[in-house]
Amino acid sequence: ETGVTQTPRHLVMGMTNKKSLKCEQHLGHNAMYWYKQSAKKPLELMFVYSLEERVENNSVPSRFSPECPNSSHLFLHLHTLQPEDSALYLCASSRKGPGTGVDGSEAFFGQGTRLTVV
Amino acid sequence: DQQVKQNSPSLSVQEGRISILNCDYTNSMFDYFLWYKKYPAEGPTFLISISSIKDKNEDGRFTVFLNKSAKHLSLHIVPSQPGDSAVYFCAAPDNTDKLIFGTGTRLQVFP
């Protein structure tokens, strides 16, 4: 039990589908993140939420839409994705958010959602 | 431009021997570094970190060395165990404290 739970673990969707990824953290952390992991590429930071406010959107296409209803939950809504969006999507949380110093910046990750777009 | 680089995609080590995983960075402003370990089908887990005011940090079988002048750090695992087989990521927070990750090195420890 890592304290960060992601559902579903696997998802196959067509390019015209709409789906959502869910992340929940039980660590009392103030910041949550979405990362994308593609084969042989660095982990890519997609979105950052600190105290439920989005503080970073790293030029992510609008077909990815995050939602953070409270400090424990984070969603990633997906629509009209492309096959190249197939990847492992990781949620993470940290005690402190960006810009608050490195102490507490260690991120705790969920197990990820393996997304395949067909 | 990749600010954190792990140039060895894979490493194979015999059980009981030392594993050395390397990481280079280009941003001289980085002052804190972290290592994560990732098993297949799981998210990365935090392993060990080091601040730039130190050149070594040790935690059990894991030691991280930092050479600031060379912008290089390494993770030493000794003795290596089969359960250490995983992908290891080096990471550093940027000036907004967001983690920048390397591409990872896959470590295989064989009996």
Side-chain angles (χ1 to χ4, degrees), chain B residues 32-108:
Chain B
Y32 188 67
F33 304 88
L34 308 93
W35 283 95
Y36 284 81
K37 176 180 179 180
K38 183 182 182 300
Y39 290 118
E42 294 184 15
T45 54
F46 171 70
L47 193 58
I48 192 170
S49 63
I50 188 167
S51 166
S52 61
I53 62 173
K54 294 184 176 182
D55 54 18
K56 176 183 174 181
N57 187 26
E58 188 173 353
D59 183 2
R61 296 185 298 114
F62 302 91
T63 303
V64 56
F65 294 92
L66 175 62
N67 182 333
K68 291 186 287 295
S69 60
K71 296 193 185 68
H72 176 83
L73 63 156
S74 59
L75 174 67
H76 292 212
I77 307 173
V78 56
S80 301
Q81 299 173 354
D84 296 328
S85 298
V87 178
Y88 289 79
F89 291 91
C90 171
D94 66 10
N95 60 346
T96 64
D97 300 327
K98 295 191 304 292
L99 288 175
I100 309 298
F101 286 88
T103 51
T105 297
R106 182 176 303 278
L107 173 65
Q108 180 72 43

Side-chain angles (χ1 to χ4, degrees), chain A residues 84-100:
Chain A
E84 58 264 29
D85 296 322
S86 298
L88 180 69
Y89 288 85
L90 291 161
C91 173
S93 70
S94 63
R95 183 163 56 87
K96 292 183 179 180
T100 58

Side-chain angles (χ1 to χ4, degrees), chain A residues 6-57:
Chain A
Q6 287 186 246
T7 55
R9 293 292 307 278
H10 301 273
L11 177 63
V12 179
M13 61 185 288
M15 289 189 284
T16 59
N17 291 159
K18 288 185 180 181
K19 297 286 184 182
S20 295
L21 309 184
K22 179 182 176 182
C23 177
E24 186 173 358
Q25 58 100 356
H26 313 279
L27 301 168
H29 287 170
N30 290 319
M32 297 186 77
Y33 311 79
W34 279 116
Y35 285 88
K36 176 183 178 182
Q37 185 185 9
S38 303
K40 298 182 181 179
K41 294 175 71 175
L43 277 173
E44 300 173 53
L45 180 64
M46 300 174 71
F47 299 103
V48 181
Y49 277 83
S50 181
L51 298 173
E52 301 160 43
E53 289 190 19
R54 189 193 303 182
V55 295
E56 187 72 27
N57 173 356

